[in-house]
Amino acid sequence: MALPTKIQLEIVTPDKSVVREDVDEVELPGSDGYFGVLPGHTPLLATLQVGEMWYRTGAEKHYLALAFGFVEVLPDRVTVLAQLAERAQDIDIARAEAAKRRAEERMAASVPDIDFERARVAMMKSLIRLQVASRSRTQV
Ligand code: ATP
């Protein structure tokens, strides 16, 4: 049987469908580390961490910030169900910088009721948003 030559990529969040496109390659932030997918990949299910993903169509790479959820990989299809998925061009940099400052303050403050883990996740999300947003501005 011939191997597939494209991947049908679908990225959805609880709110909306973010991407639905035929692509050539995908890289994802799995909980055990980043991994790449080409057409014909072995089927797998993986959980996602807060991180950057990209997909390539021809010579063009498109970046997104992802946070939590699952990905199902099939030889001709990748389906991402994520809590957050933001395209680089949709990221509000000032908002991400403000969220980063708030998270830094919360992590630095030694108040007894601080939710450190929550602040750490907010910090990771803001850092990934800033990283992904900078990609859109350097690699159009
Ligand atoms: P903030 O503290 O600025 O609200 P957050 O990390 O707490 O940030 P989330 O709860 O993760 O925000 O997301 C709420 C909604 O706002 C989601 O739809 C998310 O995609 C969107 N969002 C959050 N921050 C940004 C950003 N910097 N640029 C674009 N969309 C964002």
Side-chain angles (χ1 to χ4, degrees):
M1 201 171 66
L3 277 180
T5 56
K6 287 273 185 186
I7 299 166
Q8 287 175 41
L9 174 64
E10 178 147 23
I11 304 173
V12 295
T13 68
D15 299 335
K16 60 181 177 194
S17 169
V18 182
V19 172
R20 202 188 175 121
E21 216 172 304
D22 284 352
V23 308
D24 296 307
E25 189 178 0
V26 182
E27 190 181 87
L28 290 149
S31 298
D32 294 331
Y34 281 82
F35 64 95
V37 178
L38 288 165
H41 197 286
T42 314
L44 68 84
L45 269 178
T47 52
L48 298 167
Q49 59 168 322
V50 178
E52 173 184 88
M53 78 159 280
W54 56 257
Y55 63 91
R56 186 176 62 75
T57 42
E60 258 185 37
K61 264 189 181 177
H62 304 262
Y63 291 85
L64 292 98
L66 283 193
F68 309 117
F70 302 89
V71 58
E72 180 188 42
V73 175
L74 295 172
D76 62 347
R77 199 172 315 161
V78 170
T79 308
V80 175
L81 307 173
Q83 198 183 88
L84 287 176
E86 294 155 11
R87 286 177 169 279
Q89 63 269 29
D90 296 332
I91 292 173
D92 178 337
I93 293 178
R95 181 173 169 181
E97 279 170 347
K100 176 169 170 277
R101 276 195 301 277
R102 276 198 309 279
E104 276 165 356
E105 284 163 14
R106 285 182 187 139
M107 289 167 82
S110 56
V111 291
D113 63 346
I114 189 164
D115 189 341
F116 189 87
E117 179 57 17
R118 205 169 140 193
R120 195 183 66 82
V121 170
M123 168 72 88
M124 283 163 52
K125 288 198 295 192
S126 64
L127 290 174
I128 287 296
R129 283 174 173 134
L130 292 171
Q131 178 181 318
V132 169
S134 74
R135 301 268 193 206
S136 86
R137 281 145 187 94
T138 53
Q139 301 182 27
V140 181

